[in-house]
Amino acid sequence: MESSGQGWRDFAGIMIVIVGTLNVINGLVALANSAYLNNVENDRMVNLPITDDIRVWGWVVLIIGVLLILAGAAIFSGQTWGRVVGIVFAGGNILVQFTWIQALPFWSFTLIVIDILIIYALVVHGRDVSEPEAV
């Protein structure tokens, strides 16, 4: 019999792989075309924190995306450390997406909401999966 935790684990695994894939795509776009964040109306670059170099942020988002995909694979394999890594990197992705919110508000906000749901699924229902069921 499938526990409710199993469904949440599957949800978290699927969503973390999707968010990771979206981050990989976003990172590759930033690396391939550093001018894609230009504001056409004001003809200026969007200011990002720490550095305005879009390629640096592209690498950061790309690496986080790959790590999220790997965490998703660990979650699917039922590894407890995969839950921990998934929580840490989903939380890190919230911070990174928050830095992009000025440039890509809808995109960033959507990924932040999905990351919050991933963390919820892994924190609240993760123990249900890792504990063996009593017979």
Side-chain angles (χ1 to χ4, degrees):
M1 175 187 275
E2 185 175 305
S3 69
S4 64
Q6 181 71 32
W8 277 103
R9 186 199 74 181
D10 292 345
F11 169 80
I14 291 167
M15 294 310 290
I16 206 165
V17 169
I18 290 171
V19 168
T21 303
L22 292 173
N23 275 2
V24 167
I25 292 168
N26 194 23
L28 290 173
V29 169
L31 291 173
N33 180 11
S34 62
Y36 88 105
L37 290 181
N38 278 345
N39 185 338
V40 178
E41 289 179 20
N42 298 329
D43 196 30
R44 67 173 178 84
M45 287 295 290
V46 174
N47 294 324
L48 296 172
I50 302 171
T51 179
D52 282 337
D53 188 353
I54 302 300
R55 292 182 192 268
V56 170
W57 285 107
W59 278 111
V60 169
V61 172
L62 177 68
I63 290 168
I64 289 177
V66 169
L67 293 171
L68 285 167
I69 292 169
L70 293 174
I75 290 167
F76 282 127
S77 69
Q79 301 295 322
T80 302
W81 63 266
R83 274 184 36 223
V84 174
V85 170
I87 292 165
V88 168
F89 285 118
N93 192 45
I94 288 172
L95 297 175
V96 170
Q97 291 304 322
F98 187 71
T99 64
W100 286 81
I101 211 156
Q102 178 188 6
L104 303 167
F106 181 75
W107 177 273
S108 295
F109 182 74
T110 302
L111 292 183
I112 288 169
V113 169
I114 294 171
D115 284 328
I116 290 169
L117 291 172
I118 290 167
I119 292 170
Y120 172 80
L122 293 175
V123 170
V124 175
H125 298 285
R127 186 181 308 188
D128 299 342
V129 175
S130 60
E131 290 180 354
E133 289 186 31
V135 180

